[in-house]
Structure formats: C-alpha cells, structure tokens
Amino acid sequence: MSNSTATPPQSFGVLLFPGFALLDVCGPLEMLNGLSSAVPITISLIALDSLEPVSTMVPVDSSSDETKENVEQQQPRTFQRLCPTHTLDTCPPLDVLVIPGGFGVPNAAKDERVLKFVAESKAQTIITICNGAGILATTGLLDGKRATTNKWWFKEVTSVRHQVNWVHKARWVHDGRFWTSSGISSGMDVVAAYIRETYGEKIGELIPDILEYTPELDSDNDPFVDAWKKYVPSNQTK
Amino acid sequence: MSNSTATPPQSFGVLLFPGFALLDVCGPLEMLNGLSSAVPITISLIALDSLEPVSTMVPVDSSSDETKENVEQQQPRTFQRLCPTHTLDTCPPLDVLVIPGGFGVPNAAKDERVLKFVAESKAQTIITICNGAGILATTGLLDGKRATTNKWWFKEVTSVRHQVNWVHKARWVHDGRFWTSSGISSGMDVVAAYIRETYGEKIGELIPDILEYTPELDSDNDPFVDAWKKYVPSNQTK
C-alpha cells in the first residue's frame, strides 16, 4: 500500500446526476468491480434525491438558457438509465468520491445540494472524470491546485474557476486529495493509476488485465489536445 | 458507407442478461451514444422477460453446479443495475445485435429463449464481446467461421463449440455477419472498427475522439494472450 494511505480505502461512491456520461461512470465502475474481487470494497451510486433510475439524458427544460442550445444540439439522441443505491442524504461515509462528467454538469454545478455534498465531503480522495472537474472546481476545493478536464469543453470548464491551475495537456493530474482526468474514457486511466498507487503494483496490474485494458501509464500523454484542434480550435486554450 | 451495407444500420440492440459485464455493455453503448449524435440510430436494451432493472450480479442459486463454484469465487463483490427498454418478445427489428459477456454467460447460453432469439435474429450484423461469443457459438451460427473471445476464459468458451475456427490471438475478428471481440474493454475497439467500416473514416474518427479514446486499429494486436499466461497458463490453448 502507498505510504500516503493509512488504511486502504473501502468505501467508494460515484455521483449520479441526470445527464451523466455513461462511460465516465461505467469505466471507473468496472475497474472498481474488478478491485472488489481482490479487496473488500463497497460502491455507492449516489443520486440527488430519489432512488429512481438516473438517465444519461439531460432534460432540456431543466437547463439554463445559456446551456440549453448546447444540450439540445449536441447531446446524444440515445440514452440509458442506471439505478442508484443511495441519495445525497442517505450516502454512507466515503473514502473515495468519484464525480463523472456529462451534459448534465452545468446543471449539477448550479445545484446547491450537489455543491454542499462535494464541498463537505470527508473523502480522503476525490476523483473527477471529464467535465466533472467543473463541479469540483465550483466548490473552490481545487483553488491553487493543478487539475485537468476534457479537451472538447476545456475552455468552458476552466473558465468557471480561474483560481485553479488548469493543465491543458494531461491524461490525468494528481494533486493532493484530488485526481482529475481528461475526457470520458480517461476515467479508466485515472482510476487504474489511483489503484496502482493505492493498492500496489500487483493489484494495479491485475485489475486492468481482468478488463483486458491497456491503461495509459503516462499522465502527460494526452493525444486529444491535438486531435480536438481539428474540431474546435477555439476551445484549445484558456 | 461501406459497399457491404446497402442502407446504413439504424436499429441497434444490446442483450441484457443477469450477470452481464458492465463495461462489455457500456463501452459499446457509449460508442453508439456518440454515433447517435451523427447518425439517426436507436438503441434497444433487451432484457429476457421483464422491464425490471438487470443486475451485473449472477444470482448464485441460478447457476448450474459446474459453474456455481466459479461464479461464487470469482465474480465481483460489487454490482450495478441497468434499465432495459425491451424484452426478447417486444424487441423491435434490429440491424445490429450486440451480445455482451460476463459471469452470466453460462446461464444465458443454456436459456432456450436467448438461443432462439439469437439464432432467429434477422440482424445484418451480430457483435459479441468477451465470452458473449459463447452464446453465439452455442446457436451454431459461428460454425465454420473465424471468431475470438476473451483470454481468461478462452479454453472454457471455445470448448462449447469445436466447429468454430477459434482465433486465440486477436483483439477482434470479423467474418461475414459476425464481429467477435476479446475481453471486456475490447468491446470498444470492435464497435469502433465496425463504425469505421460501416459509416466511413470521418465518423469513424469522430466517435472515438468524442470519447477521448484511442481505439486499437490492428485487430491482431492482442497483448492479453501473453498477459494472461502469468495467471492461468492452462487456459491459453484450446
């Protein structure tokens, strides 16, 4: 185990808000499912206020005027629904909190219940995927810390909080309690890196092998800085 | 569009049986969610006989004696539940059927309703992930075809049907209607490859970029043949 962790983390929780990105949640979850074969962990899926299934689709009417057009035009036409196990109010104490991204982030980052839950979290580690970093940044917890987010929305996400030392080219960034990752599929790499550091090399190698996944081992290797230039050049700088 | 496809596929379906592997389903789904931003497709999640959420956990009591011990000892201790949109009986006509793997495959491959649904499918394309190939192989549809499956269970899965030309070292194999892939995360690579071939290079490049995912482009590049030798050497040959 890493020296930075007195006791190995056992209680994981993943925030589930309407409009979460499916792979942001399910990539890390499958890594943690693998981990559960080797380490006695629990995983809570934390909805806002009800145990009804949570959809990856953002209800367009719920979006603010400035984000409504983006959501309507850009979010996938297809969606899925995942079942939560807890709500913000019933969630057990967490060692690790995972905050996914998705088209629902602008709404979630304006929801005082979500911000309070994240800001007051006692979790020793908070991991964000994709634009989920925007929720964490909004709380102010990332101020003065190095962090990254996805490349497609880089400008929008980073503009919510200039006090953060945003790193443009990074697959993931680890600074203190916080692990922040780049776009969607990077969630698997940041969680694989977190597992390696926390539970050691043997388990850190076993879990991606179970998934037959080749994790990125270099946190600085981010090909999507260049890949996205051809689509949205204006988003490529702060 | 590829010449092999008269009309671009629009109706996708993913089989959801108890004990499906989360990433087998959600990796391909996220690729297809991305595709839905560019192409008008639908995705059905097809449960066996009810619209109740389907769990990644195999009910141990439902397993046959020969698989019960494996399931009890090896399956993850944590699980999630995904909501289906249809059942085998209510599923709309499909252009593409996706069959995931997971600890529930041995049960699903003995379920006459599942086998009938797959055997009688009019889908122009059937994609399997991980040991989901075992379900397709059991129907006899793969007889005489080249196909692959995951490396952990390679011996068990391939032994169910010797009439298939099983390929040990492959990230995925495409033969006629059938695209079969290796373990869990390979589902993203096989679906990315299918999208490239079917919808052309531009969309084929855009969809993984949306996911910030670097797809494996070489179907023969399978590092897990060697990676798994250190865990289960006996499973590495037919």
Side-chain angles (χ1 to χ4, degrees):
Chain A
M1 305 291 166
S2 161
N3 290 333
S4 63
T5 307
T7 54
Q10 296 200 330
S11 174
F12 289 76
V14 182
L15 201 58
L16 270 196
F17 48 82
F20 71 92
L22 188 69
L23 190 61
D24 285 31
V25 167
C26 295
L29 277 178
E30 193 72 320
M31 287 282 168
L32 297 176
N33 285 339
L35 182 63
S36 80
S37 302
V39 179
I41 64 165
T42 60
I43 307 176
S44 306
L45 298 190
I46 312 154
L48 305 190
D49 55 11
S50 133
L51 291 177
E52 288 296 304
V54 183
S55 175
T56 58
M57 178 75 78
V58 184
V60 171
D61 289 348
S62 73
S63 300
S64 61
D65 286 344
E66 73 260 34
T67 61
K68 193 175 289 191
E69 194 177 344
N70 271 348
V71 168
E72 274 181 319
Q73 291 181 356
Q74 296 181 1
Q75 80 169 336
R77 301 290 183 270
T78 53
F79 63 93
Q80 292 81 38
R81 296 186 305 146
L82 195 59
C83 297
T85 62
H86 296 82
T87 66
L88 295 175
D89 287 338
T90 66
C91 182
L94 299 179
D95 298 321
V96 180
L97 170 63
V98 178
I99 304 175
F103 279 91
V105 161
N107 289 341
K110 289 188 187 74
D111 189 321
E112 290 301 331
R113 299 167 301 175
V114 172
L115 295 175
K116 183 170 185 290
F117 179 83
V118 174
E120 296 180 356
S121 173
K122 300 281 194 295
Q124 60 190 243
T125 301
I126 298 181
I127 300 172
T128 70
I129 325 292
C130 199
N131 63 331
I135 296 173
L136 180 58
T138 302
T139 65
L141 286 175
L142 280 180
D143 287 3
K145 300 284 186 184
R146 296 171 68 250
T148 195
T149 183
N150 78 331
K151 301 299 114 77
W152 184 9
W153 286 320
F154 193 81
K155 190 174 174 184
E156 288 91 331
V157 177
T158 58
S159 67
V160 305
R161 195 80 179 177
H162 291 295
Q163 296 92 326
V164 180
N165 297 328
W166 292 107
V167 181
H168 189 206
K169 186 177 170 65
R171 186 65 175 166
W172 76 87
V173 170
H174 177 199
D175 191 344
R177 284 174 81 196
F178 307 109
W179 298 69
T180 55
S181 82
S182 194
I184 305 187
S185 81
S186 68
M188 292 185 286
D189 292 329
V190 70
V191 171
Y194 168 78
I195 289 173
R196 269 196 314 278
E197 170 153 322
T198 307
Y199 299 92
E201 282 300 318
K202 191 174 171 187
I203 288 177
E205 192 172 350
L206 171 65
I207 308 308
D209 278 347
I210 290 175
L211 274 57
E212 294 196 12
Y213 180 71
T214 304
E216 177 58 61
L217 299 176
D218 178 0
S219 63
D220 293 333
N221 186 18
D222 180 11
F224 297 97
V225 166
D226 291 329
W228 271 103
K229 280 179 182 163
K230 61 180 177 286
Y231 303 112
V232 281
S234 66
N235 276 17
Q236 293 304 307
T237 53
K238 287 174 74 171
Chain B
M1 303 294 165
S2 162
N3 290 333
S4 64
T5 308
T7 54
Q10 298 199 329
S11 174
F12 289 74
V14 182
L15 201 57
L16 269 195
F17 48 82
F20 71 92
L22 188 70
L23 190 61
D24 285 31
V25 166
C26 295
L29 277 177
E30 193 72 320
M31 287 280 167
L32 297 176
N33 285 339
L35 182 64
S36 80
S37 303
V39 178
I41 64 166
T42 60
I43 307 176
S44 305
L45 298 189
I46 313 154
L48 305 191
D49 54 11
S50 134
L51 292 177
E52 289 297 305
V54 183
S55 174
T56 58
M57 179 74 79
V58 184
V60 172
D61 290 345
S62 74
S63 299
S64 60
D65 288 342
E66 72 262 36
T67 60
K68 194 175 286 188
E69 194 177 346
N70 270 348
V71 167
E72 274 180 320
Q73 292 181 355
Q74 298 182 359
Q75 79 169 337
R77 301 290 183 272
T78 54
F79 63 93
Q80 293 81 39
R81 295 185 307 145
L82 196 58
C83 297
T85 62
H86 296 82
T87 66
L88 295 175
D89 287 339
T90 67
C91 182
L94 299 178
D95 298 321
V96 181
L97 170 62
V98 178
I99 304 175
F103 279 90
V105 161
N107 289 340
K110 288 188 188 74
D111 189 320
E112 290 301 330
R113 300 167 301 177
V114 172
L115 295 175
K116 184 170 185 289
F117 179 83
V118 174
E120 296 179 356
S121 173
K122 298 283 194 293
Q124 60 190 243
T125 300
I126 298 180
I127 299 172
T128 70
I129 324 295
C130 199
N131 63 332
I135 297 173
L136 181 57
T138 302
T139 66
L141 286 174
L142 280 180
D143 288 1
K145 299 284 186 185
R146 296 171 69 249
T148 196
T149 183
N150 79 329
K151 299 299 114 77
W152 185 8
W153 286 318
F154 193 80
K155 190 174 173 184
E156 289 89 333
V157 176
T158 58
S159 67
V160 305
R161 196 80 180 175
H162 292 295
Q163 296 92 326
V164 180
N165 297 327
W166 293 107
V167 181
H168 189 206
K169 186 176 169 67
R171 187 65 174 165
W172 76 87
V173 170
H174 176 200
D175 191 344
R177 286 172 80 197
F178 307 110
W179 300 67
T180 54
S181 82
S182 194
I184 304 187
S185 81
S186 68
M188 291 185 286
D189 292 328
V190 69
V191 171
Y194 168 79
I195 288 172
R196 271 196 313 278
E197 170 153 321
T198 307
Y199 299 92
E201 282 301 318
K202 191 174 170 186
I203 288 178
E205 193 172 350
L206 171 65
I207 308 308
D209 278 348
I210 290 175
L211 273 58
E212 294 196 13
Y213 180 71
T214 304
E216 177 58 62
L217 299 176
D218 178 359
S219 63
D220 293 332
N221 187 18
D222 179 10
F224 296 98
V225 166
D226 290 329
W228 271 103
K229 280 180 183 163
K230 61 180 177 285
Y231 304 111
V232 280
S234 66
N235 276 15
Q236 293 303 308
T237 52
K238 287 172 76 172

